[in-house]
Amino acid sequence: MPKKSKKQRKRNELNFTGGDMYVQGEISGLMRLQDKFFNKDTAFTIEERQLLGIHGLLPPVVRNIEDQVELCLMQFLDIDDDLSKYTYMIRLGAHNERLFYKLLATHGDKCLPFVYTPTVGLACLNAAYVFQFPVVLFITIEDKGHIYDVLKNWPQADVRAICVTDGGRILGFGDMGAHGYPIPKGKVTLYTALGGVRPHYCLPICLDVGCNKSQVREDPLYMGLKRKRPPRTEYDEFVDEFMEAVVSRYGPNCLVQFEDIGNADAFRLLTKYRYKYATFNDDIQGAGVVALAALTSAMSISNTKLEDQRVLFQGAGEAGLGIANLLFVALKGEGLDDNEARSRIWLRDSKGLVAYNRPQGHLTEYKLTFARKRAHIQKLEDCIREFKPTVLIGVSAQSGAFSREVLELMALYNKRPIIFAMSNPPSKCECSAESAFRHTRGKCLFATGSPSPALEYAGEMYHVTQVNSLYGFPGIVMGAIACCISHLTPAIFLVASHTISSLCTDDDYRQCSLLPPLNKLTSCAFEIACNVVEYAYKSNLARRKPEPTDIRAFVKHQMYDLNYEPAIKTWLQEYEK
């Protein structure tokens, strides 16, 4: 008897008799309901339940996905505390993936803050309590020499987008080690929820290389390696092997997004890999995309030009330098030379003004680009008096850094001061919206890094813009993997930034809103993806051939369908593979 093919053997698990189909017992009905990719809960029709062996395992009611979404929303809103809302969403995603993403797409304004900023920071602080298995792939430095084998343990083989952290600089909390794992999980969730990337293409990874913060590492509930971080040489060898293993396992087109890596490591890895792999760092490059978009809108409202701005940064870490570098590229695009562009940008870190001859010692090479040739200035207020900035951007994770005096000085020197207090979580924000409007007497154009309600001041209602990278990276990732981009140039991030600002309307400007409303995030991601694909083909960065004749249709065809497929069709497709 001839040997049956793999396809035939799999098809035999489904038997057809007289036009009817029944499922043999090798895969139980309960197992089907525990498969998050397949499960539809009460949306299974009576016929599907009978054919798949799950009849009786569900109540008789049959609901469509829209009814399920509204029921889930009712359950979600009944939960009192933020951390429980986070765990509810994670559990829903692990149980019924399409319903989870449909809920996010339908009610993103209510649900997104509890799978991403700001609640993801609370999840990191309580990582041992909220852990759900498996949410991310953990690769430890003790796996060195065998990273490829660990990657093979992830159940999905067709991975096209990876978000990876080593927990070295989690939001404003610093080194959290393995307890930073909720960050990449939250990011890849937005790949799908906003960017439309199919969830089985996404892989969140935590590289556990140890933790230097003793209060985290020595906590009895800490889940990571109980060791300090390794020397740079050992660390770099480990990350090199990781990147090579990704290419070996998933191919050179797999995009790798680095997230919340320690400052020194983040800049070094970006410099090392940016033209070798399809990779980017959202804390550095993604922050620049959205900040520049908001700044562009602020200039439209205040009727000024980019080359007329003087921008002072409170904070010179990944976000500060990332925004400054993209701003520098944009200023050069406006016709300024290198020196003119740099003259518009001042940075202040924890040691004061970033200047060549300051007494605190040498500067890192990444700060030298924007170092001033002048006497050292320590206080932020004195920097403002000297530079008279039109824009003040806070990325220092220092709560209260924008004091009353700082805000009053900004209002003194500017008719419409632009003030971005971008640090996350809210407890680390440089100032509140209420403080900014009160101390500038309502003159400022203000944005913050976390969701904030509208604010009433002096009888007027002011919209508070959230300047967060969620406006940018989902669309960048979707566009990059759609065309199999070889690497991401600075121009890609300018394309994304210009796309975001172009979606603001006159109504947005009348409300002093510097970015499109949150209910346009999916549209924003789609437009970014299309523009990234178009730029990639024009610049010979796209590996996928031939070039599509209709880019919008090309991108849309690759996006995740939020609606249920017929259960029998889904299973047959799986068996046909």
Side-chain angles (χ1 to χ4, degrees), residues 264-296:
D265 294 327
F267 285 109
R268 189 177 70 258
L269 295 178
L270 180 60
T271 301
K272 186 177 185 179
Y273 297 142
R274 66 191 309 172
Y275 296 112
K276 185 177 181 181
Y277 300 104
T279 185
F280 73 103
N281 185 302
D282 191 51
D283 300 302
I284 299 173
Q285 295 157 296
V289 167
V290 187
L292 181 59
L295 181 56
T296 301

Side-chain angles (χ1 to χ4, degrees), residues 38-67:
F38 171 78
N39 188 22
K40 300 198 295 186
D41 289 307
T42 54
F44 283 113
T45 66
I46 298 300
E47 180 185 19
E48 287 173 336
R49 300 178 194 196
Q50 292 172 343
L51 294 174
L52 296 172
I54 58 175
H55 189 65
L57 301 181
L58 296 166
V61 66
V62 177
R63 291 191 173 100
N64 60 33
I65 195 168
E66 289 76 18
D67 291 339

